[in-house]
Amino acid sequence: MNSFASFPMREELAQAVKDMGFETPTPIQLKVIPTLLTEPKDIIGLAQTGTGKTAAFGLPLLHHTDVNKKNVQCLILSPTRELCMQIVEELKKYGQHMRGLKVAAVYGGVPISGQIRDVRANPQVVVATPGRLIDLLERKALSLDEVQYVVLDEADEMLNMGFREDIDFILKNTPEREHTWLFSATMSNEVRGIAKRFMKKWEEFSVGSANMTNENIDHQYYVTNNHNRYETLRRLLDFTPGIYGIIFTRTKQDCQDISEKLMRQGYHVSPLHGDMDQKMRSKVMERFKNKTLQAIVATDVAARGIDVNDITHVINYELPDDPEVYTHRSGRTARAGKSGICMSIVSPKEISNIRQIERIVKQRFHKSDIPDGAEVVRKRLFFYLEQIANSVPQDDFAALYQANIHERFEDMDKDELIRRLIWLQLKDTIDMYNDSEDLNAGYDNTSRERGKGNKTVRLFINLGIKDGFTNSDKLLQFITESTDIEANTIDRITVRDLSSFFNVPYSAAEYIIQVLSQKKHKGRKVRLEEAEQRDRERAAAGGGSYGGNRRPNDRPSYGDRPSYGGGRDRSGDRGGDRGGSQKFNRRNDNKR
Ligand code: AMP
């Protein structure tokens, strides 16, 4: 049984799955569905969101639902309103051909009257958050007396949110309950406790381990001092034009403060936390889904309800206390076979936490440099060039204004025109990053921190994303395979569009340069040099800088060049709220 067609499912469900375009069952579906269809015993399923677990329990649940009966037969408990709504949406799609099927949603934060009406309309399936369900039970708006199937979805999260007593109360009030299906991303004693109290003999199913390794996630960390955390976040955002991400904070207060600050500075972000009322949260989700927002700043609990498949980046403004929470956060990206990046901003003291998380995630994390100003400008420039190259202007627009445009710029040379357009687009970024600070926390500590006391040297290589090295692992593989150098001697790989940087022990640098410089990649000669040497040469030639380990005082800055806005007063707060037109330009520059 390895296809939906082979599952002994009622015809209406098989048709719905076909309509929805599901081709192959996901691992958790393959494991759970056949059992629950034929022998719906008690089970524990260890699976995270995004693994297809809603269908894993939803299809068997609907299969066993008798649409001719007018009482609640199936109850699904979920931790948040958002998850509740998602489950209902999914169930409605699976049950689209089941005539007479009624699914009701019950959650807090909205007036109860509508829900009283919904549960009195005889639904066979109720999806509920524990608190509101108890409210309705106390008002005798619905009865659980004939519930046969109970699903606890994201049980660990319900326990984290303090619903233990509510869950116990609800389960005790389901006298006809025959089957309990518990789903959880993690297994803890508390989760096992529910099973022990309320389930008979159960079978456990997990997809890999609960902390499944998702090889499509590139885990990166950026080391900065605590007082530079916010500026680092900002720089990472600026360095990632096109980001569609979630920024995680530990507290609601941080969530609110950081997003307000970012909004004031012209970023398209919004907070999402539990103190916001449901209406506001739904609005934020709507703006995020239609991509009006480039990122959401969220607390762990609020982010649980975000069901978006194409998130490009997760940023940990701070690491979570619990390493397991890291896996929840990073699992928000690289879903449905896509790849994604999880960036963590850490202080030097927190590097040991990274090691701990690496063990749990079972993947190596890459220490990356916080980019300097010139890199940010360069990155945004290339992004903008790509946008121009890929844009398709409306025909009407071209026809209407072509003559005027042509006439106005008839005498201007094409290169000059391009230069001016790009300058207009980027001048704010250039101005802001003129003479920007090095936010990386002490490099020297880094080698000590690795515990070897070895001195390392940073190398430049003329290969980057454009050469197919879309992540650090790919470049690492190329270097190790070409040189026979062990992967763990290479560190801090930073892949850029056209080139990359990495650290190697001094003792190995000469060998690596020599061997790799004789190689070709896709017909192009590979070139390496010491990053500092390269920077010195570029500085002497008056060029910008691209990622070596320089200190601010030996960095050539954009401000050195009068044509890049020299002479402007930059005494103001570069990170502060900016005036009208600057802000407008910045928004343009940030537009997705
Ligand atoms: P879930 O883990 O239940 O939140 O599901 C994540 C997303 O994957 C939902 O949008 C589902 O509709 C979708 N999905 C579930 N199962 C499959 C499948 N077998 N094939 C394709 N998409 C699926």
Side-chain angles (χ1 to χ4, degrees):
M1 276 203 246
N2 54 9
S3 68
F4 284 108
S6 64
F7 292 157
M9 217 160 36
R10 54 206 282 174
E11 183 48 38
E12 301 107 302
L13 293 173
Q15 185 57 45
V17 165
K18 233 190 241 169
D19 294 348
M20 289 175 77
F22 289 5
E23 281 168 9
T24 38
T26 65
I28 189 75
Q29 292 165 356
L30 272 179
K31 287 189 173 175
V32 167
I33 294 178
T35 306
L36 295 187
L37 285 174
T38 50
E39 197 191 343
K41 53 188 166 192
D42 287 357
I43 65 146
I44 294 183
L46 290 174
Q48 295 177 326
T49 348
T51 53
K53 70 178 161 58
T54 316
F57 64 73
L59 290 169
L61 205 63
L62 296 183
H63 177 79
H64 296 296
T65 301
D66 184 348
V67 284
N68 296 316
K69 284 195 183 160
K70 306 277 179 234
N71 46 31
V72 184
Q73 300 156 46
C74 309
L75 171 69
I76 300 166
L77 290 181
S78 103
T80 62
R81 161 196 149 107
E82 283 80 6
L83 188 59
C84 230
M85 292 181 0
Q86 277 164 35
I87 296 171
V88 170
E89 242 172 73
E90 288 274 309
L91 291 183
K92 284 188 173 161
K93 284 189 220 157
Y94 304 143
Q96 59 186 294
H97 301 299
M98 286 175 64
R99 288 188 57 174
L101 175 73
K102 280 191 189 156
V103 182
V106 161
Y107 45 77
V110 292
I112 202 163
S113 49
Q115 293 179 356
I116 292 180
R117 224 175 306 130
D118 291 348
V119 294
R120 286 198 172 140
N122 301 322
Q124 295 93 359
V125 182
V126 169
V127 187
T129 54
R132 178 52 70 94
L133 179 65
I134 290 179
D135 246 9
L136 289 167
L137 289 173
E138 282 169 352
R139 290 168 191 243
K140 305 224 179 307
L142 90 161
S143 155
L144 303 180
D145 286 353
E146 291 179 60
V147 166
Q148 290 171 291
Y149 295 84
V150 174
V151 178
L152 302 171
D153 195 17
E154 305 210 348
D156 52 347
E157 199 49 31
M158 288 199 276
L159 291 168
N160 286 343
M161 290 170 73
F163 285 136
R164 187 195 140 149
E165 286 174 4
D166 290 353
I167 295 172
D168 282 10
F169 177 84
I170 293 165
L171 291 178
K172 278 182 194 154
N173 282 285
T174 49
E176 292 297 313
R177 177 169 45 88
E178 285 172 21
H179 310 290
T180 312
W181 302 342
L182 183 157
F183 284 82
S184 183
T186 54
M187 186 48 127
S188 63
N189 287 338
E190 270 202 295
V191 172
R192 218 174 269 284
I194 303 188
K196 283 185 183 151
R197 287 196 297 283
F198 296 103
M199 289 161 68
K200 297 169 216 141
K201 224 176 113 208
W202 67 85
E203 196 175 336
E204 279 186 26
F205 297 88
S206 72
V207 268
S209 88
N211 309 305
M212 235 184 335
T213 302
N214 182 341
E215 291 181 348
N216 294 333
I217 304 177
D218 185 7
H219 299 273
Q220 306 176 347
Y221 66 102
Y222 295 80
V223 187
T224 193
N225 293 316
N226 272 322
H227 64 272
N228 280 329
R229 211 176 272 275
Y230 177 77
E231 275 310 311
T232 301
L233 168 66
R234 229 186 132 187
R235 190 150 319 165
L236 292 178
L237 285 176
D238 287 346
F239 188 67
T240 322
I243 186 173
Y244 183 52
I246 307 179
I247 300 160
F248 280 97
T249 61
R250 279 211 268 206
T251 64
K252 292 176 199 166
Q253 192 62 49
D254 270 353
C255 173
Q256 189 65 33
D257 293 349
I258 289 163
S259 42
E260 275 176 17
K261 220 161 152 184
L262 287 172
M263 282 188 279
R264 275 203 305 276
Q265 289 165 344
Y267 296 86
H268 299 257
V269 301
S270 174
L272 188 77
H273 58 70
D275 284 352
M276 292 161 63
D277 68 34
Q278 297 294 0
K279 221 168 157 189
M280 280 168 78
R281 280 158 71 172
S282 299
K283 238 189 185 142
V284 170
M285 280 315 299
E286 204 182 297
R287 292 173 62 217
F288 188 52
K289 280 192 174 165
N290 68 26
K291 307 212 166 155
T292 313
L293 295 173
Q294 64 185 122
I296 277 185
V297 185
T299 56
D300 289 297
V301 171
R304 273 282 170 147
I306 303 175
D307 177 37
V308 178
N309 277 339
D310 48 355
I311 285 174
T312 60
H313 291 74
V314 164
I315 302 183
N316 293 309
Y317 181 74
E318 277 185 295
L319 286 176
D321 283 328
D322 177 357
E324 298 251 337
V325 174
Y326 180 94
T327 60
H328 288 298
R329 291 184 178 184
S330 61
R332 295 279 150 189
T333 181
R335 294 174 65 160
K338 298 189 178 108
S339 57
I341 294 176
C342 182
M343 301 169 151
S344 298
I345 304 173
V346 298
S347 70
K349 274 191 187 157
E350 290 165 335
I351 292 169
S352 56
N353 302 1
I354 291 281
R355 300 287 165 261
Q356 206 186 344
I357 298 169
E358 271 181 333
R359 283 192 292 275
I360 287 182
V361 177
K362 297 194 184 70
Q363 256 170 296
R364 193 164 176 251
F365 281 38
H366 302 112
K367 183 171 188 298
S368 304
D369 273 349
I370 302 165
D372 63 19
E375 288 172 284
V376 172
V377 172
R378 224 169 74 101
K379 185 74 178 278
R380 299 192 80 85
L381 168 68
F382 279 105
F383 182 74
Y384 182 49
L385 296 183
E386 283 306 306
Q387 278 187 316
I388 296 177
N390 297 326
S391 74
V392 186
Q394 246 177 23
D395 285 348
D396 290 357
F397 169 82
L400 195 60
Y401 296 110
Q402 190 73 23
N404 305 57
I405 297 169
H406 186 77
E407 194 185 340
R408 177 65 186 79
F409 295 109
E410 208 170 14
D411 299 330
M412 194 180 288
D413 163 69
K414 177 183 158 199
D415 281 343
E416 179 61 19
L417 183 59
I418 294 174
R419 216 176 1 253
R420 289 188 191 197
L421 286 173
I422 291 175
W423 164 245
L424 274 179
Q425 178 73 17
L426 291 177
K427 72 179 165 68
D428 246 26
T429 308
I430 291 167
D431 185 30
M432 185 168 76
Y433 279 104
N434 163 54
D435 206 15
S436 57
E437 228 184 299
D438 185 343
L439 297 171
N440 292 287
Y443 286 125
D444 305 335
N445 296 342
T446 314
S447 42
R448 249 181 275 134
E449 163 244 318
R450 281 198 303 274
K452 300 204 181 88
N454 284 343
K455 282 201 95 173
T456 59
V457 59
R458 192 151 179 78
L459 300 183
F460 158 93
I461 186 166
N462 66 335
L463 300 176
I465 294 169
K466 292 256 189 296
D467 303 288
F469 297 100
T470 45
N471 62 41
S472 354
D473 279 338
K474 286 192 180 160
L475 186 67
L476 180 66
Q477 192 184 354
F478 173 76
I479 298 167
T480 50
E481 282 175 5
S482 312
T483 58
D484 277 338
I485 283 273
E486 297 221 354
N488 62 7
T489 58
I490 296 166
D491 196 15
R492 287 185 42 215
I493 301 175
T494 310
V495 180
R496 305 292 192 228
D497 287 321
L498 302 172
S499 58
S500 304
F501 294 85
F502 56 94
N503 278 24
V504 295
Y506 259 120
S507 51
E510 201 180 321
Y511 166 77
I512 291 175
I513 294 179
Q514 204 182 35
V515 175
L516 279 176
S517 299
Q518 288 166 15
K519 303 267 173 209
K520 279 190 171 176
H521 178 72
K522 293 185 180 166
R524 191 146 76 91
K525 199 167 166 1
V526 176
R527 195 164 51 77
L528 280 95
E529 34 182 324
E530 276 188 37
E532 278 199 23
Q533 172 69 16
R534 175 182 158 82
D535 277 342
R536 275 195 294 274
E537 283 165 11
R538 294 181 78 90
S545 55
Y546 300 94
N549 297 348
R550 286 150 292 93
R551 299 287 152 211
N553 58 2
D554 64 19
R555 164 175 309 151
S557 78
Y558 278 107
D560 296 341
R561 299 187 232 172
S563 62
Y564 271 23
R568 270 204 216 187
D569 178 14
R570 293 192 193 87
S571 55
D573 173 16
R574 279 183 288 115
D577 198 353
R578 300 157 75 75
S581 67
Q582 279 176 324
K583 204 161 168 184
F584 179 69
N585 279 330
R586 171 137 200 82
R587 281 193 192 279
N588 267 353
D589 187 17
N590 269 332
K591 224 171 220 164
R592 312 275 72 81

